[in-house]
Amino acid sequence: MQTKIAIQGVKASFHEEAAIKYFGGDIETLECDSFKQTCEMLKHGKADYVVMAIENSIAGSILPNYNLLRDYRFHIIGEVHLNIQQNLLAYPGVKLEDIQFVESHPIAIRQCDEFLSDHPNWTIKEGMDTAACAKKIADEKLKNTAAIASALAAEIYGLHILEKRIETNKKNATRFLILANEVTEQKNANKASLSFQTGNAVGSLAAVLQCFAEQNVNLSKIQSMPVVGRRNEYDFYVDVEWKKQAEYDAAIRKVLKHTVNFSILGEYIKNEKV
């Protein structure tokens, strides 16, 4: 039986590419309209895993997904980095001068702002997913609309690539998290995602960060999110990396003394291959 992976988007989306990169080609991808729907699929056992984008090297953190991590409390069992190459796709036979509308996911649009600024006469429309916008052009045979999506989307939906590699920064990469309902122990884990709250006293957060520094545990990311309904209170989400397990364990013991609502969201193997 194939492993079922819930993804936001449709076939040939970057989420499906990330799923294949992590799990291999022998998987069944479950297409979802939203990230929340992917979480519901996992929660109710209809999917084995969720692949969820969490940050992009150009557009930054995908903040709503941190709320989903908080609300669903799934376990992060891995990560995958995907080099994002954006292309301008159109229906076969359509030329650049025929384009009036360009449609894609908001983050993909932001990634290509330099290219789009060279075409001020185009109307930019936001869609739910890069590949879904490509599929719409193919299904509806749109002759005045282009989509920003991957080369795989062009291949799958039979579209023509008008312009290749239109992303502003060629080192454009997205980091995806692999989420599961159950904890699976990762041998040789060297990275963890944690969440916690601190007090409002001066230096509260600094004290926590110092605990990691003293144990040679590297802080690779920190993200704050307001605690809903509580003024001046924040959840902190941090990613840490270590070389010696004992140093990480010691850091966690120290951090527990300075935090409340501390949670290990996942311990896994660092992945940087783009």
Side-chain angles (χ1 to χ4, degrees), residues 26-253:
D26 189 24
I27 59 174
E28 179 184 352
T29 50
L30 307 177
E31 301 175 356
C32 299
D33 293 334
S34 66
F35 286 113
K36 184 175 176 63
Q37 188 183 352
T38 67
C39 292
E40 285 294 307
M41 297 284 273
L42 181 57
K43 178 181 177 181
H44 295 291
K46 296 178 181 177
D48 299 309
Y49 302 97
V50 165
V51 174
M52 177 185 285
I54 198 67
E55 63 179 313
N56 175 265
S57 57
I58 296 174
S61 295
I62 303 172
L63 297 180
N65 288 355
Y66 279 96
N67 289 330
L68 293 174
L69 291 178
R70 178 197 64 205
D71 294 343
Y72 284 89
R73 291 295 170 183
F74 294 136
H75 303 284
I76 302 170
I77 64 159
E79 65 177 358
V80 59
H81 292 255
L82 193 67
N83 190 30
I84 305 298
Q85 298 182 2
Q86 303 286 16
N87 306 275
L88 191 71
L89 313 185
Y91 197 77
V94 171
K95 297 182 174 61
L96 205 61
E97 53 266 28
D98 300 325
I99 300 302
Q100 298 174 25
F101 304 95
V102 173
E103 191 168 342
S104 194
H105 188 279
I107 289 180
I109 292 169
R110 285 172 61 187
Q111 291 167 358
C112 303
D113 55 358
E114 196 172 287
F115 173 82
L116 294 173
S117 67
D118 291 336
H119 302 274
N121 56 315
W122 290 348
T123 299
I124 310 302
K125 299 169 67 176
E126 293 185 354
M128 287 296 295
D129 176 66
T130 54
C133 294
K135 185 176 186 294
K136 178 182 173 182
I137 290 173
D139 290 346
E140 300 180 16
K141 298 180 171 57
L142 300 177
K143 305 291 178 65
N144 63 351
T145 303
I148 297 173
S150 68
L152 179 62
E155 180 183 334
I156 294 293
Y157 299 115
L159 299 182
H160 173 61
I161 298 179
L162 286 179
E163 295 281 348
K164 294 183 179 179
R165 301 298 305 274
I166 64 170
E167 68 274 10
T168 301
N169 189 324
K170 304 309 176 190
K171 292 184 178 179
N172 179 14
T174 295
R175 176 180 172 232
F176 299 81
L177 299 178
I178 314 299
L179 308 179
N181 242 329
E182 304 294 331
V183 178
T184 54
E185 186 177 349
Q186 299 278 345
K187 291 183 178 180
N188 303 318
N190 58 1
K191 187 171 183 177
S193 295
L194 316 170
S195 70
F196 55 82
Q197 296 168 19
T198 66
N200 266 333
V202 173
S204 295
L205 179 59
V208 175
L209 303 185
Q210 186 63 26
C211 294
F212 292 121
E214 289 172 352
Q215 297 299 322
N216 298 313
V217 174
N218 182 47
L219 188 76
S220 59
K221 176 164 187 177
I222 183 167
Q223 181 69 54
S224 64
M225 294 287 289
V227 177
V228 178
R230 296 186 185 181
R231 188 179 176 189
N232 295 329
E233 291 189 31
Y234 293 87
D235 285 312
F236 292 99
Y237 295 85
V238 302
D239 293 336
V240 296
E241 303 168 4
W242 63 90
K243 292 182 179 178
K244 296 180 180 178
Q245 183 70 34
E247 293 178 334
Y248 165 71
D249 293 340
I252 295 300
R253 287 194 297 270

